[in-house]
Amino acid sequence: MKAIVDKDTCIGCGLCPAISPEVFDMQDDGKAGVIVDEVPSGSEDSAKEAESSCPVNAISVE
């Protein structure tokens, strides 16, 4: 399972790293980023929750 952040859409609200810090963090550009190549086992639910919580739908988890 992979997580992707669309940097053009991201508004840097910080919800995704608050929900799933093992997958997302805030980057130097003020926007969210993915910090893993694959979503770790056991973190799938929080990654999907971050995806559904994003106010601008900038996250996809596949």
Side-chain angles (χ1 to χ4, degrees), residues 16 19-24 42-51:
C16 55
I19 293 169
S20 188
E22 59 282 341
V23 177
F24 304 98
S43 298
E44 295 93 347
D45 288 345
S46 68
K48 288 297 243 177
E49 181 181 347
E51 176 186 32

Side-chain angles (χ1 to χ4, degrees), residues 1-50:
M1 180 176 277
K2 284 189 161 292
I4 300 163
V5 174
D6 181 345
K7 295 281 197 168
D8 293 331
T9 305
C10 179
I11 58 171
C13 74
L15 270 176
C16 55
I19 293 169
S20 188
E22 59 282 341
V23 177
F24 304 98
D25 73 354
M26 297 307 291
Q27 312 254 302
D28 292 340
D29 62 3
K31 298 193 176 187
V34 179
I35 56 173
V36 292
D37 290 330
E38 292 282 330
V39 174
S41 179
S43 298
E44 295 93 347
D45 288 345
S46 68
K48 288 297 243 177
E49 181 181 347

